[in-house]
Amino acid sequence: PVQRDVIIGILLGDGHIKPVGVKGQPVIQFNKNFIHLPYVLFVYNYLAPLCTHYPSLIRQRDGLFYLQIYTRCLLCLTPIYENFVVNGCKIIPENIVEWLSPRALAFWSMDDESLSESGFYLNTLSYTLDEHIILQKALKTKFDLDTSVHKHENKYKLYIKAKSMDQFRSIVLPYFS
């Protein structure tokens, strides 16, 4: 359950899940800029039993470095893959409320951290407006968090309103690195 929560949190953020190998069993891939080394190691500590090696240090063409975590190809990841990927694209499933937990919300917020003056942005730019509405309902139902969707150029970001910040902090802070 703990590893599942971490996986859900990073998938809601920048993580990816895809099938690989002969049997097409899913693998989780998680990349972060090298400056996020402490956070990557924090995530790795939870996912280490699912991984074959330590985080990899990758040099990009521009000379910058990023860290990458890969899990093994695991049959137990199939339900997550089947819920979070449609036609090869990561989505927010209609039943996201069933997947959310305080720990998953914490890892999602650490992955996408973007504190504003009074609230908190979850950088959900890759999701559709309909998916943002699903997330809003789930966060309200599961955690009683008031959110809004803010347009950012031609995409959207989920915003946790100032009046919900105390509630949000009480949920996620026990899990922060």
Side-chain angles (χ1 to χ4, degrees):
V2 171
Q3 291 165 336
R4 184 192 81 127
D5 289 348
V6 173
I7 288 169
I8 297 305
I10 64 175
L11 283 179
L12 288 168
D14 296 329
H16 299 281
I17 186 169
K18 60 185 177 181
V20 294
V22 177
K23 295 181 182 178
Q25 294 175 343
V27 62
I28 302 291
Q29 178 187 344
F30 176 68
N31 301 336
K32 277 291 181 192
N33 190 301
F34 186 75
I35 63 170
H36 299 289
L37 175 63
Y39 175 62
V40 172
L41 294 176
F42 184 64
V43 170
Y44 177 76
N45 281 332
Y46 284 99
L47 299 185
L50 307 179
C51 299
T52 57
H53 59 279
Y54 292 110
S56 301
L57 181 63
I58 312 289
R59 185 176 183 173
Q60 300 176 155
R61 289 186 179 134
D62 61 7
L64 297 176
F65 290 92
Y66 69 93
L67 295 156
Q68 184 175 76
I69 295 175
Y70 262 102
T71 66
R72 291 178 279 135
C73 300
L74 298 165
L75 186 59
C76 64
L77 296 174
T78 300
I80 296 172
Y81 176 79
E82 290 172 347
N83 274 272
F84 284 83
V85 177
V86 172
N87 297 324
C89 295
K90 185 169 72 167
I91 59 129
I92 299 298
E94 292 281 341
N95 67 340
I96 188 64
V97 73
E98 297 168 21
W99 292 94
L100 277 177
S101 69
R103 183 179 285 111
L105 180 60
F107 275 84
W108 179 20
S109 63
M110 285 185 277
D111 190 68
D112 270 348
E113 59 191 83
S114 186
L115 193 61
S116 74
E117 277 187 36
S118 57
F120 190 91
Y121 279 102
L122 291 162
N123 291 311
T124 50
L125 296 169
S126 64
Y127 300 125
T128 66
L129 181 57
D130 288 341
E131 289 171 314
H132 278 84
I133 292 167
I134 292 168
L135 287 170
Q136 273 190 291
K137 288 178 184 174
L139 291 172
K140 183 65 176 175
T141 300
K142 190 85 173 203
F143 305 114
D144 196 30
L145 294 174
D146 290 316
T147 62
S148 59
V149 177
H150 292 189
K151 192 156 187 169
H152 183 74
E153 296 176 11
N154 61 341
K155 298 180 179 188
Y156 302 95
K157 284 177 143 181
L158 196 60
Y159 180 72
I160 298 173
K161 295 179 180 182
K163 67 182 179 179
S164 286
M165 283 305 294
D166 288 340
Q167 173 73 0
F168 175 65
R169 283 186 191 99
S170 71
I171 295 166
V172 300
L173 284 179
Y175 305 101
F176 267 35
S177 63

